[in-house]
Amino acid sequence: MSGNTTDMRVERKPKLFEIVAQALRAQILAGDFELGERLPTESRMTEIFGVSRTVVREAVASLAADNLVEVRHGAGVFVLDHPTRKISAMTADMGNRISQAVNVLEVRMGIEIESAGLAAQRRSPSQEARIQEAFFEFEHLLKQGEPTGKADFAFHREIAAATNNPFYIEILDALGDRTIPCDRNSPWYSVEVLSQDYLSGLQREHLRILQAISAGDPDGARDAMRAHLLAAQERYRKRLSGQQADYSQLVAPSARIRTF
């Protein structure tokens, strides 16, 4: 009997209320609903999602258990404050300072290095397939000369999902795709990150992560993700060094002291 039982794992199909709860959770954490705002009525949500009232109630109960909403009988369901909402607000207003990019990468390292290792151990066949699909979507967009930011984020998000721990994906969703520098909406976007060499380098790093996860190698997956995010930090540091060099050249002529 083979010692590798990963491929025998059968992924449980999510229940309807879990699908509805996940959709509402994503909207809440993305800030589509403000703190204290009331969610659509139960009857309206049955229309939006095409499910029964029972399914909606179970979804709301799941969100209430996670302290995302509060059910006020006779008044409706209201959005509560949540730590990941604060993260979303921070990333939405972090400006374009490279120092902020380095800070976000440190947070991502704390989350994504371990998520890569867990994904290598816990991923189901369909989860592994979705990671690969995101990888090849990046490759397709790269060859077409199209923006790759969304596919880049999807790759990292699918790895977080493959941990089968909802908190990893929740935090990554709160950080959002604006933390991906090759996304045009990123505050750290630059012409450099659209170059073929830059993006091809990212894809080679993604490949090492994918290969380790597919091989069921948690230590290799952690090492590959660590190398990927450290390389991103180094690229930002080089941009800072380049800015310093440009500034030095600009001020050098006027900074010379003439002697007579």
Side-chain angles (χ1 to χ4, degrees):
M1 181 176 175
S2 173
N4 184 4
T5 60
T6 302
D7 292 338
M8 298 174 64
R9 188 180 303 146
V10 177
E11 185 179 17
R12 179 180 67 83
K13 185 178 181 180
K15 296 179 180 179
L16 276 177
F17 86 86
E18 292 173 328
I19 296 172
V20 173
Q22 181 57 39
L24 289 170
R25 180 180 285 107
Q27 289 180 310
I28 291 169
L29 295 178
D32 293 348
F33 296 101
E34 298 294 330
L35 172 63
E37 184 176 350
R38 186 174 66 178
L39 294 185
T41 64
E42 187 177 279
S43 60
R44 177 58 182 147
M45 283 197 277
T46 63
E47 295 174 2
I48 293 171
F49 295 106
V51 296
S52 68
R53 288 177 178 267
T54 300
V55 170
V56 170
R57 288 169 189 160
E58 289 178 332
V60 169
S62 175
L63 296 177
D66 290 339
N67 294 316
L68 282 174
V69 300
E70 178 185 24
V71 180
R72 300 175 191 169
H73 295 290
V77 181
F78 295 83
V79 175
L80 296 176
D81 200 6
H82 194 270
T84 52
R85 285 172 59 85
K86 292 184 174 70
I87 297 173
S88 295
M90 288 169 60
T91 56
D93 189 35
M94 57 192 163
N96 60 0
R97 289 177 296 173
I98 294 178
S99 61
Q100 290 283 51
V102 174
N103 288 340
V104 170
L105 277 168
E106 285 186 355
V107 173
R108 287 183 58 194
M109 288 175 69
I111 298 164
E112 295 195 62
I113 291 172
E114 185 59 22
S115 74
L118 291 175
Q121 292 174 301
R122 300 176 178 175
R123 87 273 182 225
S124 68
S126 63
Q127 287 170 332
E128 183 179 340
R130 286 195 291 272
I131 296 170
Q132 292 194 39
E133 286 167 357
F135 174 86
F136 286 113
E137 176 63 13
F138 187 109
E139 183 73 15
H140 170 73
L141 293 171
L142 179 59
K143 290 179 178 178
Q144 296 296 316
E146 298 290 334
T148 58
K150 300 296 182 185
D152 193 331
F153 183 73
F155 177 76
H156 288 270
R157 191 181 189 279
E158 292 298 349
I159 292 171
T163 66
N164 291 299
N165 180 334
F167 291 104
Y168 279 103
I169 196 166
E170 190 170 299
I171 294 172
L172 201 60
D173 279 345
L175 287 171
D177 57 13
R178 295 177 75 251
T179 63
I180 302 296
C182 60
D183 190 296
R184 290 183 183 274
N185 293 321
S186 170
W188 310 300
Y189 157 82
S190 71
V191 175
E192 174 199 5
V193 302
L194 286 186
S195 72
Q196 193 77 9
D197 287 344
Y198 181 97
L199 295 174
S200 295
L202 286 185
Q203 188 68 332
R204 286 192 295 272
E205 293 165 13
H206 287 164
L207 178 60
R208 286 190 282 272
I209 297 167
L210 173 61
Q211 288 173 330
I213 290 174
S214 295
D217 179 4
D219 290 336
R222 290 186 186 98
D223 290 343
M225 182 65 80
R226 182 182 293 107
H228 176 50
L229 296 176
L230 283 173
Q233 278 191 328
E234 183 59 27
R235 284 187 281 266
Y236 281 126
R237 291 192 179 100
K238 285 182 178 179
R239 282 176 62 182
L240 281 173
S241 297
Q243 289 176 3
Q244 291 174 10
D246 291 344
Y247 178 77
S248 297
Q249 291 179 359
L250 180 66
V251 301
S254 59
R256 295 194 188 103
I257 299 175
R258 294 185 179 181
T259 57
F260 297 93

